[in-house]
Amino acid sequence: MDAAALANILRTDMVVHRPLPADSELVRAIAVLARAQQDAVWDRGQAHNKLRSQLREFYPAILTAFAQRKHGLCSREARTILAAVPTPTMAARLTRRRLQALLKQAGRVRGIQAGADRIQEIFQRDRLHQLPQVEAALGQQTAALLRQLNTACHNADQLEEATTQAFDEHPDSPIIRSFPDLGSLTGARVLAEIGDDRTRFANASSLKAYVGSAPVTRASGKSCVVMSRRVKNQRLAAVGYVRAFVSLTVIRHRGSAPPSHRRGPARPCPES
């Protein structure tokens, strides 16, 4: 009965319906990879938040040591050191030579001695501790959460490489990368959601509504309310969120530069 109802709808009112987008095989593959990579990034953020909440209870020294480090606990250095010393008592016993070896293992090539000295000084500060057995149990839980974070980071990195490689093979990739603040990864997400069928959207307003940037106006009598659009493609909206923050960073950087450095074309932004 449902199939018959759908068939009758298309038979009588086909002109008011749009055909499915005829995307190419490569775009469909990019969509699979880009969505999987975006899901992996969200899983990585969730695993990071769980681990950070756990460490705030009994191991704040590791958070202080990598507070100013790019990617924080997701960095290879933080994950390598945390895997070696999952409790603050073990961290306080770390020698300078062992810290230098862990930093080299994580891939650092510069400032190893200074970094080891700074981390050792933070680990040896006087702090409140949990009871020994409680601290050991929390350390085991931390190790389990760290394994989840390592898996999420590995999945996100591997899928990012596959996504950018597939995106670079598409003929529309140079056009999409020419947009401000769009790199290979964010461009792949955009291409995955809008496809390469030129007839998919009738006009620019349809695309804006699909992305969620077009507001919704509700008017009744003398009242008129303009609200943000909630029904939208959440993955495209996430790309717009990233682009907005990249643009703010570039504008802030250009605004703080000397007047002689404000002229000329803007430099391309790094991948976000």
Side-chain angles (χ1 to χ4, degrees), residues 21-59:
D23 292 331
S24 63
E25 181 181 358
L26 180 56
V27 163
R28 296 180 183 180
I30 293 174
V32 173
L33 293 173
R35 292 169 182 173
Q37 198 276 336
Q38 197 168 22
D39 291 338
V41 170
W42 290 338
D43 293 340
R44 182 180 62 187
Q46 185 177 10
H48 169 269
N49 292 337
K50 287 183 179 180
L51 179 60
R52 185 175 183 273
S53 178
Q54 169 80 2
L55 295 175
R56 289 181 62 183
E57 294 185 6
F58 82 111
Y59 199 172

PDB file of all heavy atoms in Angstrom, residues 21-59:
ATOM      1  N   PRO A  21      19.591  13.343  -6.892  1.00  0.00           N
ATOM      2  CA  PRO A  21      20.800  13.863  -7.545  1.00  0.00           C
ATOM      3  C   PRO A  21      21.586  12.744  -8.206  1.00  0.00           C
ATOM      4  O   PRO A  21      21.786  11.666  -7.629  1.00  0.00           O
ATOM      5  CB  PRO A  21      21.579  14.506  -6.388  1.00  0.00           C
ATOM      6  CG  PRO A  21      21.054  13.849  -5.155  1.00  0.00           C
ATOM      7  CD  PRO A  21      19.619  13.536  -5.428  1.00  0.00           C
ATOM      8  N   ALA A  22      22.052  13.029  -9.395  1.00  0.00           N
ATOM      9  CA  ALA A  22      22.847  12.048 -10.154  1.00  0.00           C
ATOM     10  C   ALA A  22      24.331  12.303  -9.910  1.00  0.00           C
ATOM     11  O   ALA A  22      25.051  12.798 -10.781  1.00  0.00           O
ATOM     12  CB  ALA A  22      22.510  12.136 -11.636  1.00  0.00           C
ATOM     13  N   ASP A  23      24.797  11.988  -8.719  1.00  0.00           N
ATOM     14  CA  ASP A  23      26.201  12.192  -8.371  1.00  0.00           C
ATOM     15  C   ASP A  23      27.066  11.100  -8.995  1.00  0.00           C
ATOM     16  O   ASP A  23      26.620   9.962  -9.213  1.00  0.00           O
ATOM     17  CB  ASP A  23      26.386  12.186  -6.857  1.00  0.00           C
ATOM     18  CG  ASP A  23      25.741  13.387  -6.196  1.00  0.00           C
ATOM     19  OD1 ASP A  23      25.657  14.436  -6.854  1.00  0.00           O
ATOM     20  OD2 ASP A  23      25.319  13.278  -5.027  1.00  0.00           O
ATOM     21  N   SER A  24      28.302  11.453  -9.233  1.00  0.00           N
ATOM     22  CA  SER A  24      29.234  10.501  -9.811  1.00  0.00           C
ATOM     23  C   SER A  24      29.679   9.477  -8.766  1.00  0.00           C
ATOM     24  O   SER A  24      29.470   9.644  -7.555  1.00  0.00           O
ATOM     25  CB  SER A  24      30.449  11.235 -10.379  1.00  0.00           C
ATOM     26  OG  SER A  24      31.155  11.894  -9.338  1.00  0.00           O
ATOM     27  N   GLU A  25      30.306   8.420  -9.262  1.00  0.00           N
ATOM     28  CA  GLU A  25      30.779   7.365  -8.361  1.00  0.00           C
ATOM     29  C   GLU A  25      31.863   7.882  -7.426  1.00  0.00           C
ATOM     30  O   GLU A  25      31.906   7.521  -6.245  1.00  0.00           O
ATOM     31  CB  GLU A  25      31.306   6.197  -9.186  1.00  0.00           C
ATOM     32  CG  GLU A  25      31.816   5.029  -8.350  1.00  0.00           C
ATOM     33  CD  GLU A  25      32.359   3.897  -9.195  1.00  0.00           C
ATOM     34  OE1 GLU A  25      32.303   4.028 -10.432  1.00  0.00           O
ATOM     35  OE2 GLU A  25      32.841   2.900  -8.619  1.00  0.00           O
ATOM     36  N   LEU A  26      32.729   8.770  -7.916  1.00  0.00           N
ATOM     37  CA  LEU A  26      33.799   9.313  -7.085  1.00  0.00           C
ATOM     38  C   LEU A  26      33.237  10.167  -5.959  1.00  0.00           C
ATOM     39  O   LEU A  26      33.730  10.113  -4.827  1.00  0.00           O
ATOM     40  CB  LEU A  26      34.762  10.129  -7.951  1.00  0.00           C
ATOM     41  CG  LEU A  26      35.957  10.767  -7.225  1.00  0.00           C
ATOM     42  CD1 LEU A  26      36.763   9.709  -6.482  1.00  0.00           C
ATOM     43  CD2 LEU A  26      36.840  11.529  -8.201  1.00  0.00           C
ATOM     44  N   VAL A  27      32.208  10.953  -6.248  1.00  0.00           N
ATOM     45  CA  VAL A  27      31.604  11.782  -5.201  1.00  0.00           C
ATOM     46  C   VAL A  27      30.949  10.909  -4.132  1.00  0.00           C
ATOM     47  O   VAL A  27      31.012  11.218  -2.931  1.00  0.00           O
ATOM     48  CB  VAL A  27      30.588  12.758  -5.819  1.00  0.00           C
ATOM     49  CG1 VAL A  27      29.666  13.323  -4.764  1.00  0.00           C
ATOM     50  CG2 VAL A  27      31.314  13.893  -6.507  1.00  0.00           C
ATOM     51  N   ARG A  28      30.325   9.823  -4.540  1.00  0.00           N
ATOM     52  CA  ARG A  28      29.734   8.930  -3.550  1.00  0.00           C
ATOM     53  C   ARG A  28      30.804   8.311  -2.660  1.00  0.00           C
ATOM     54  O   ARG A  28      30.605   8.151  -1.439  1.00  0.00           O
ATOM     55  CB  ARG A  28      28.939   7.839  -4.255  1.00  0.00           C
ATOM     56  CG  ARG A  28      27.733   8.363  -5.040  1.00  0.00           C
ATOM     57  CD  ARG A  28      26.983   7.242  -5.731  1.00  0.00           C
ATOM     58  NE  ARG A  28      25.877   7.743  -6.532  1.00  0.00           N
ATOM     59  CZ  ARG A  28      25.055   6.988  -7.251  1.00  0.00           C
ATOM     60  NH1 ARG A  28      25.224   5.664  -7.258  1.00  0.00           N
ATOM     61  NH2 ARG A  28      24.080   7.529  -7.956  1.00  0.00           N
ATOM     62  N   ALA A  29      31.946   7.969  -3.243  1.00  0.00           N
ATOM     63  CA  ALA A  29      33.041   7.445  -2.428  1.00  0.00           C
ATOM     64  C   ALA A  29      33.589   8.508  -1.486  1.00  0.00           C
ATOM     65  O   ALA A  29      33.900   8.226  -0.320  1.00  0.00           O
ATOM     66  CB  ALA A  29      34.151   6.913  -3.346  1.00  0.00           C
ATOM     67  N   ILE A  30      33.708   9.742  -1.974  1.00  0.00           N
ATOM     68  CA  ILE A  30      34.172  10.843  -1.123  1.00  0.00           C
ATOM     69  C   ILE A  30      33.197  11.076   0.023  1.00  0.00           C
ATOM     70  O   ILE A  30      33.602  11.362   1.161  1.00  0.00           O
ATOM     71  CB  ILE A  30      34.363  12.115  -1.958  1.00  0.00           C
ATOM     72  CG1 ILE A  30      35.524  11.935  -2.949  1.00  0.00           C
ATOM     73  CG2 ILE A  30      34.631  13.330  -1.070  1.00  0.00           C
ATOM     74  CD1 ILE A  30      35.680  13.083  -3.917  1.00  0.00           C
ATOM     75  N   ALA A  31      31.901  10.950  -0.263  1.00  0.00           N
ATOM     76  CA  ALA A  31      30.900  11.144   0.787  1.00  0.00           C
ATOM     77  C   ALA A  31      31.047  10.105   1.888  1.00  0.00           C
ATOM     78  O   ALA A  31      30.941  10.420   3.082  1.00  0.00           O
ATOM     79  CB  ALA A  31      29.494  11.084   0.183  1.00  0.00           C
ATOM     80  N   VAL A  32      31.308   8.865   1.511  1.00  0.00           N
ATOM     81  CA  VAL A  32      31.501   7.814   2.522  1.00  0.00           C
ATOM     82  C   VAL A  32      32.709   8.124   3.397  1.00  0.00           C
ATOM     83  O   VAL A  32      32.658   8.048   4.634  1.00  0.00           O
ATOM     84  CB  VAL A  32      31.645   6.445   1.832  1.00  0.00           C
ATOM     85  CG1 VAL A  32      32.025   5.374   2.856  1.00  0.00           C
ATOM     86  CG2 VAL A  32      30.352   6.057   1.134  1.00  0.00           C
ATOM     87  N   LEU A  33      33.824   8.493   2.751  1.00  0.00           N
ATOM     88  CA  LEU A  33      35.052   8.759   3.503  1.00  0.00           C
ATOM     89  C   LEU A  33      34.936  10.027   4.344  1.00  0.00           C
ATOM     90  O   LEU A  33      35.371  10.054   5.505  1.00  0.00           O
ATOM     91  CB  LEU A  33      36.230   8.878   2.529  1.00  0.00           C
ATOM     92  CG  LEU A  33      36.625   7.595   1.788  1.00  0.00           C
ATOM     93  CD1 LEU A  33      37.678   7.899   0.739  1.00  0.00           C
ATOM     94  CD2 LEU A  33      37.142   6.547   2.765  1.00  0.00           C
ATOM     95  N   ALA A  34      34.369  11.086   3.769  1.00  0.00           N
ATOM     96  CA  ALA A  34      34.283  12.355   4.498  1.00  0.00           C
ATOM     97  C   ALA A  34      33.371  12.234   5.711  1.00  0.00           C
ATOM     98  O   ALA A  34      33.680  12.762   6.787  1.00  0.00           O
ATOM     99  CB  ALA A  34      33.785  13.452   3.560  1.00  0.00           C
ATOM    100  N   ARG A  35      32.256  11.546   5.559  1.00  0.00           N
ATOM    101  CA  ARG A  35      31.348  11.386   6.703  1.00  0.00           C
ATOM    102  C   ARG A  35      31.957  10.494   7.769  1.00  0.00           C
ATOM    103  O   ARG A  35      31.798  10.753   8.976  1.00  0.00           O
ATOM    104  CB  ARG A  35      30.020  10.823   6.210  1.00  0.00           C
ATOM    105  CG  ARG A  35      29.231  11.802   5.352  1.00  0.00           C
ATOM    106  CD  ARG A  35      28.054  11.140   4.664  1.00  0.00           C
ATOM    107  NE  ARG A  35      27.339  12.084   3.803  1.00  0.00           N
ATOM    108  CZ  ARG A  35      26.350  11.745   2.967  1.00  0.00           C
ATOM    109  NH1 ARG A  35      25.971  10.477   2.890  1.00  0.00           N
ATOM    110  NH2 ARG A  35      25.757  12.668   2.227  1.00  0.00           N
ATOM    111  N   ALA A  36      32.650   9.450   7.339  1.00  0.00           N
ATOM    112  CA  ALA A  36      33.317   8.586   8.316  1.00  0.00           C
ATOM    113  C   ALA A  36      34.410   9.351   9.054  1.00  0.00           C
ATOM    114  O   ALA A  36      34.579   9.185  10.279  1.00  0.00           O
ATOM    115  CB  ALA A  36      33.899   7.356   7.617  1.00  0.00           C
ATOM    116  N   GLN A  37      35.148  10.195   8.344  1.00  0.00           N
ATOM    117  CA  GLN A  37      36.196  10.977   8.996  1.00  0.00           C
ATOM    118  C   GLN A  37      35.610  11.989   9.966  1.00  0.00           C
ATOM    119  O   GLN A  37      36.137  12.208  11.061  1.00  0.00           O
ATOM    120  CB  GLN A  37      37.045  11.680   7.937  1.00  0.00           C
ATOM    121  CG  GLN A  37      38.398  12.169   8.429  1.00  0.00           C
ATOM    122  CD  GLN A  37      38.339  13.517   9.113  1.00  0.00           C
ATOM    123  OE1 GLN A  37      37.416  14.290   8.861  1.00  0.00           O
ATOM    124  NE2 GLN A  37      39.324  13.815   9.955  1.00  0.00           N
ATOM    125  N   GLN A  38      34.506  12.611   9.568  1.00  0.00           N
ATOM    126  CA  GLN A  38      33.864  13.571  10.467  1.00  0.00           C
ATOM    127  C   GLN A  38      33.317  12.879  11.709  1.00  0.00           C
ATOM    128  O   GLN A  38      33.425  13.406  12.826  1.00  0.00           O
ATOM    129  CB  GLN A  38      32.750  14.297   9.722  1.00  0.00           C
ATOM    130  CG  GLN A  38      32.290  15.581  10.386  1.00  0.00           C
ATOM    131  CD  GLN A  38      31.399  16.405   9.481  1.00  0.00           C
ATOM    132  OE1 GLN A  38      30.799  15.886   8.542  1.00  0.00           O
ATOM    133  NE2 GLN A  38      31.297  17.684   9.756  1.00  0.00           N
ATOM    134  N   ASP A  39      32.750  11.691  11.546  1.00  0.00           N
ATOM    135  CA  ASP A  39      32.302  10.924  12.711  1.00  0.00           C
ATOM    136  C   ASP A  39      33.484  10.554  13.611  1.00  0.00           C
ATOM    137  O   ASP A  39      33.371  10.572  14.839  1.00  0.00           O
ATOM    138  CB  ASP A  39      31.581   9.662  12.251  1.00  0.00           C
ATOM    139  CG  ASP A  39      30.247   9.965  11.589  1.00  0.00           C
ATOM    140  OD1 ASP A  39      29.691  11.055  11.836  1.00  0.00           O
ATOM    141  OD2 ASP A  39      29.757   9.110  10.816  1.00  0.00           O
ATOM    142  N   ALA A  40      34.631  10.224  12.988  1.00  0.00           N
ATOM    143  CA  ALA A  40      35.811   9.895  13.780  1.00  0.00           C
ATOM    144  C   ALA A  40      36.307  11.104  14.560  1.00  0.00           C
ATOM    145  O   ALA A  40      36.773  10.977  15.696  1.00  0.00           O
ATOM    146  CB  ALA A  40      36.913   9.351  12.873  1.00  0.00           C
ATOM    147  N   VAL A  41      36.222  12.280  13.966  1.00  0.00           N
ATOM    148  CA  VAL A  41      36.622  13.504  14.671  1.00  0.00           C
ATOM    149  C   VAL A  41      35.695  13.759  15.851  1.00  0.00           C
ATOM    150  O   VAL A  41      36.144  14.131  16.951  1.00  0.00           O
ATOM    151  CB  VAL A  41      36.621  14.698  13.701  1.00  0.00           C
ATOM    152  CG1 VAL A  41      36.781  16.011  14.457  1.00  0.00           C
ATOM    153  CG2 VAL A  41      37.733  14.552  12.687  1.00  0.00           C
ATOM    154  N   TRP A  42      34.404  13.560  15.653  1.00  0.00           N
ATOM    155  CA  TRP A  42      33.466  13.735  16.770  1.00  0.00           C
ATOM    156  C   TRP A  42      33.713  12.692  17.861  1.00  0.00           C
ATOM    157  O   TRP A  42      33.635  13.000  19.054  1.00  0.00           O
ATOM    158  CB  TRP A  42      32.037  13.651  16.243  1.00  0.00           C
ATOM    159  CG  TRP A  42      31.640  14.828  15.410  1.00  0.00           C
ATOM    160  CD1 TRP A  42      32.222  16.073  15.432  1.00  0.00           C
ATOM    161  CD2 TRP A  42      30.612  14.898  14.420  1.00  0.00           C
ATOM    162  NE1 TRP A  42      31.613  16.900  14.523  1.00  0.00           N
ATOM    163  CE2 TRP A  42      30.617  16.214  13.885  1.00  0.00           C
ATOM    164  CE3 TRP A  42      29.690  13.985  13.925  1.00  0.00           C
ATOM    165  CZ2 TRP A  42      29.732  16.637  12.901  1.00  0.00           C
ATOM    166  CZ3 TRP A  42      28.803  14.398  12.931  1.00  0.00           C
ATOM    167  CH2 TRP A  42      28.815  15.705  12.435  1.00  0.00           C
ATOM    168  N   ASP A  43      34.020  11.451  17.460  1.00  0.00           N
ATOM    169  CA  ASP A  43      34.355  10.429  18.457  1.00  0.00           C
ATOM    170  C   ASP A  43      35.632  10.788  19.199  1.00  0.00           C
ATOM    171  O   ASP A  43      35.745  10.552  20.412  1.00  0.00           O
ATOM    172  CB  ASP A  43      34.517   9.071  17.773  1.00  0.00           C
ATOM    173  CG  ASP A  43      33.217   8.545  17.198  1.00  0.00           C
ATOM    174  OD1 ASP A  43      32.148   9.010  17.634  1.00  0.00           O
ATOM    175  OD2 ASP A  43      33.273   7.683  16.296  1.00  0.00           O
ATOM    176  N   ARG A  44      36.599  11.361  18.477  1.00  0.00           N
ATOM    177  CA  ARG A  44      37.841  11.782  19.127  1.00  0.00           C
ATOM    178  C   ARG A  44      37.574  12.884  20.144  1.00  0.00           C
ATOM    179  O   ARG A  44      38.134  12.877  21.249  1.00  0.00           O
ATOM    180  CB  ARG A  44      38.831  12.262  18.076  1.00  0.00           C
ATOM    181  CG  ARG A  44      40.181  12.682  18.637  1.00  0.00           C
ATOM    182  CD  ARG A  44      41.098  13.136  17.512  1.00  0.00           C
ATOM    183  NE  ARG A  44      40.568  14.307  16.824  1.00  0.00           N
ATOM    184  CZ  ARG A  44      41.105  14.824  15.719  1.00  0.00           C
ATOM    185  NH1 ARG A  44      42.171  14.263  15.172  1.00  0.00           N
ATOM    186  NH2 ARG A  44      40.571  15.887  15.154  1.00  0.00           N
ATOM    187  N   GLY A  45      36.728  13.833  19.801  1.00  0.00           N
ATOM    188  CA  GLY A  45      36.391  14.886  20.752  1.00  0.00           C
ATOM    189  C   GLY A  45      35.676  14.349  21.979  1.00  0.00           C
ATOM    190  O   GLY A  45      35.939  14.791  23.108  1.00  0.00           O
ATOM    191  N   GLN A  46      34.792  13.379  21.781  1.00  0.00           N
ATOM    192  CA  GLN A  46      34.099  12.787  22.922  1.00  0.00           C
ATOM    193  C   GLN A  46      35.062  12.012  23.812  1.00  0.00           C
ATOM    194  O   GLN A  46      35.004  12.111  25.053  1.00  0.00           O
ATOM    195  CB  GLN A  46      32.986  11.870  22.420  1.00  0.00           C
ATOM    196  CG  GLN A  46      32.115  11.296  23.526  1.00  0.00           C
ATOM    197  CD  GLN A  46      30.979  10.446  22.994  1.00  0.00           C
ATOM    198  OE1 GLN A  46      30.941  10.125  21.806  1.00  0.00           O
ATOM    199  NE2 GLN A  46      30.052  10.072  23.850  1.00  0.00           N
ATOM    200  N   ALA A  47      35.960  11.233  23.202  1.00  0.00           N
ATOM    201  CA  ALA A  47      36.937  10.494  23.989  1.00  0.00           C
ATOM    202  C   ALA A  47      37.883  11.445  24.722  1.00  0.00           C
ATOM    203  O   ALA A  47      38.273  11.197  25.871  1.00  0.00           O
ATOM    204  CB  ALA A  47      37.730   9.550  23.083  1.00  0.00           C
ATOM    205  N   HIS A  48      38.260  12.546  24.065  1.00  0.00           N
ATOM    206  CA  HIS A  48      39.127  13.536  24.711  1.00  0.00           C
ATOM    207  C   HIS A  48      38.437  14.160  25.917  1.00  0.00           C
ATOM    208  O   HIS A  48      39.060  14.335  26.976  1.00  0.00           O
ATOM    209  CB  HIS A  48      39.511  14.607  23.697  1.00  0.00           C
ATOM    210  CG  HIS A  48      40.188  15.802  24.300  1.00  0.00           C
ATOM    211  ND1 HIS A  48      39.480  16.918  24.738  1.00  0.00           N
ATOM    212  CD2 HIS A  48      41.490  16.059  24.575  1.00  0.00           C
ATOM    213  CE1 HIS A  48      40.320  17.797  25.232  1.00  0.00           C
ATOM    214  NE2 HIS A  48      41.544  17.309  25.143  1.00  0.00           N
ATOM    215  N   ASN A  49      37.168  14.497  25.781  1.00  0.00           N
ATOM    216  CA  ASN A  49      36.451  15.115  26.898  1.00  0.00           C
ATOM    217  C   ASN A  49      36.311  14.153  28.074  1.00  0.00           C
ATOM    218  O   ASN A  49      36.425  14.559  29.244  1.00  0.00           O
ATOM    219  CB  ASN A  49      35.083  15.584  26.428  1.00  0.00           C
ATOM    220  CG  ASN A  49      35.164  16.733  25.441  1.00  0.00           C
ATOM    221  OD1 ASN A  49      36.152  17.468  25.407  1.00  0.00           O
ATOM    222  ND2 ASN A  49      34.137  16.906  24.624  1.00  0.00           N
ATOM    223  N   LYS A  50      36.070  12.882  27.802  1.00  0.00           N
ATOM    224  CA  LYS A  50      35.975  11.899  28.881  1.00  0.00           C
ATOM    225  C   LYS A  50      37.303  11.769  29.616  1.00  0.00           C
ATOM    226  O   LYS A  50      37.350  11.729  30.849  1.00  0.00           O
ATOM    227  CB  LYS A  50      35.552  10.545  28.309  1.00  0.00           C
ATOM    228  CG  LYS A  50      34.104  10.468  27.873  1.00  0.00           C
ATOM    229  CD  LYS A  50      33.769   9.071  27.383  1.00  0.00           C
ATOM    230  CE  LYS A  50      32.318   8.975  26.962  1.00  0.00           C
ATOM    231  NZ  LYS A  50      31.976   7.602  26.481  1.00  0.00           N
ATOM    232  N   LEU A  51      38.385  11.694  28.850  1.00  0.00           N
ATOM    233  CA  LEU A  51      39.699  11.555  29.476  1.00  0.00           C
ATOM    234  C   LEU A  51      40.065  12.808  30.257  1.00  0.00           C
ATOM    235  O   LEU A  51      40.603  12.721  31.369  1.00  0.00           O
ATOM    236  CB  LEU A  51      40.751  11.270  28.405  1.00  0.00           C
ATOM    237  CG  LEU A  51      42.194  11.109  28.889  1.00  0.00           C
ATOM    238  CD1 LEU A  51      42.307   9.959  29.875  1.00  0.00           C
ATOM    239  CD2 LEU A  51      43.132  10.898  27.721  1.00  0.00           C
ATOM    240  N   ARG A  52      39.780  13.966  29.719  1.00  0.00           N
ATOM    241  CA  ARG A  52      40.105  15.210  30.415  1.00  0.00           C
ATOM    242  C   ARG A  52      39.308  15.333  31.714  1.00  0.00           C
ATOM    243  O   ARG A  52      39.844  15.758  32.741  1.00  0.00           O
ATOM    244  CB  ARG A  52      39.809  16.400  29.504  1.00  0.00           C
ATOM    245  CG  ARG A  52      40.211  17.752  30.075  1.00  0.00           C
ATOM    246  CD  ARG A  52      39.987  18.862  29.060  1.00  0.00           C
ATOM    247  NE  ARG A  52      40.428  20.136  29.579  1.00  0.00           N
ATOM    248  CZ  ARG A  52      39.671  20.957  30.318  1.00  0.00           C
ATOM    249  NH1 ARG A  52      38.424  20.604  30.607  1.00  0.00           N
ATOM    250  NH2 ARG A  52      40.147  22.093  30.770  1.00  0.00           N
ATOM    251  N   SER A  53      38.033  14.957  31.681  1.00  0.00           N
ATOM    252  CA  SER A  53      37.226  14.990  32.905  1.00  0.00           C
ATOM    253  C   SER A  53      37.765  14.020  33.947  1.00  0.00           C
ATOM    254  O   SER A  53      37.750  14.321  35.151  1.00  0.00           O
ATOM    255  CB  SER A  53      35.766  14.648  32.558  1.00  0.00           C
ATOM    256  OG  SER A  53      34.967  14.621  33.715  1.00  0.00           O
ATOM    257  N   GLN A  54      38.253  12.872  33.494  1.00  0.00           N
ATOM    258  CA  GLN A  54      38.845  11.902  34.416  1.00  0.00           C
ATOM    259  C   GLN A  54      40.119  12.447  35.048  1.00  0.00           C
ATOM    260  O   GLN A  54      40.337  12.324  36.260  1.00  0.00           O
ATOM    261  CB  GLN A  54      39.137  10.608  33.651  1.00  0.00           C
ATOM    262  CG  GLN A  54      39.975   9.592  34.392  1.00  0.00           C
ATOM    263  CD  GLN A  54      39.170   8.784  35.395  1.00  0.00           C
ATOM    264  OE1 GLN A  54      37.962   8.968  35.498  1.00  0.00           O
ATOM    265  NE2 GLN A  54      39.841   7.921  36.145  1.00  0.00           N
ATOM    266  N   LEU A  55      40.977  13.075  34.249  1.00  0.00           N
ATOM    267  CA  LEU A  55      42.257  13.566  34.761  1.00  0.00           C
ATOM    268  C   LEU A  55      42.086  14.751  35.694  1.00  0.00           C
ATOM    269  O   LEU A  55      42.936  14.980  36.570  1.00  0.00           O
ATOM    270  CB  LEU A  55      43.166  13.942  33.594  1.00  0.00           C
ATOM    271  CG  LEU A  55      43.596  12.788  32.682  1.00  0.00           C
ATOM    272  CD1 LEU A  55      44.392  13.306  31.496  1.00  0.00           C
ATOM    273  CD2 LEU A  55      44.419  11.766  33.467  1.00  0.00           C
ATOM    274  N   ARG A  56      41.052  15.516  35.530  1.00  0.00           N
ATOM    275  CA  ARG A  56      40.825  16.656  36.426  1.00  0.00           C
ATOM    276  C   ARG A  56      40.557  16.207  37.850  1.00  0.00           C
ATOM    277  O   ARG A  56      40.777  16.969  38.795  1.00  0.00           O
ATOM    278  CB  ARG A  56      39.645  17.484  35.914  1.00  0.00           C
ATOM    279  CG  ARG A  56      39.944  18.262  34.639  1.00  0.00           C
ATOM    280  CD  ARG A  56      38.748  19.077  34.203  1.00  0.00           C
ATOM    281  NE  ARG A  56      38.390  20.071  35.197  1.00  0.00           N
ATOM    282  CZ  ARG A  56      37.335  20.878  35.094  1.00  0.00           C
ATOM    283  NH1 ARG A  56      36.542  20.795  34.033  1.00  0.00           N
ATOM    284  NH2 ARG A  56      37.084  21.768  36.021  1.00  0.00           N
ATOM    285  N   GLU A  57      40.100  14.981  38.039  1.00  0.00           N
ATOM    286  CA  GLU A  57      39.774  14.508  39.372  1.00  0.00           C
ATOM    287  C   GLU A  57      41.019  14.148  40.186  1.00  0.00           C
ATOM    288  O   GLU A  57      41.027  14.344  41.401  1.00  0.00           O
ATOM    289  CB  GLU A  57      38.854  13.285  39.281  1.00  0.00           C
ATOM    290  CG  GLU A  57      37.484  13.574  38.694  1.00  0.00           C
ATOM    291  CD  GLU A  57      36.592  12.352  38.742  1.00  0.00           C
ATOM    292  OE1 GLU A  57      37.018  11.333  39.336  1.00  0.00           O
ATOM    293  OE2 GLU A  57      35.478  12.400  38.188  1.00  0.00           O
ATOM    294  N   PHE A  58      42.051  13.595  39.531  1.00  0.00           N
ATOM    295  CA  PHE A  58      43.185  13.106  40.317  1.00  0.00           C
ATOM    296  C   PHE A  58      44.542  13.373  39.673  1.00  0.00           C
ATOM    297  O   PHE A  58      45.575  13.108  40.288  1.00  0.00           O
ATOM    298  CB  PHE A  58      43.037  11.593  40.538  1.00  0.00           C
ATOM    299  CG  PHE A  58      43.502  10.743  39.394  1.00  0.00           C
ATOM    300  CD1 PHE A  58      44.631   9.942  39.505  1.00  0.00           C
ATOM    301  CD2 PHE A  58      42.818  10.734  38.186  1.00  0.00           C
ATOM    302  CE1 PHE A  58      45.061   9.160  38.454  1.00  0.00           C
ATOM    303  CE2 PHE A  58      43.231   9.948  37.136  1.00  0.00           C
ATOM    304  CZ  PHE A  58      44.365   9.153  37.269  1.00  0.00           C
ATOM    305  N   TYR A  59      44.586  13.892  38.436  1.00  0.00           N
ATOM    306  CA  TYR A  59      45.860  14.019  37.732  1.00  0.00           C
ATOM    307  C   TYR A  59      45.903  15.355  36.986  1.00  0.00           C
ATOM    308  O   TYR A  59      46.110  15.400  35.779  1.00  0.00           O
ATOM    309  CB  TYR A  59      45.994  12.853  36.754  1.00  0.00           C
ATOM    310  CG  TYR A  59      47.385  12.551  36.263  1.00  0.00           C
ATOM    311  CD1 TYR A  59      47.623  11.407  35.513  1.00  0.00           C
ATOM    312  CD2 TYR A  59      48.470  13.393  36.521  1.00  0.00           C
ATOM    313  CE1 TYR A  59      48.883  11.098  35.031  1.00  0.00           C
ATOM    314  CE2 TYR A  59      49.724  13.103  36.044  1.00  0.00           C
ATOM    315  CZ  TYR A  59      49.930  11.938  35.297  1.00  0.00           C
ATOM    316  OH  TYR A  59      51.187  11.654  34.821  1.00  0.00           O
TER     317      TYR A  59
END
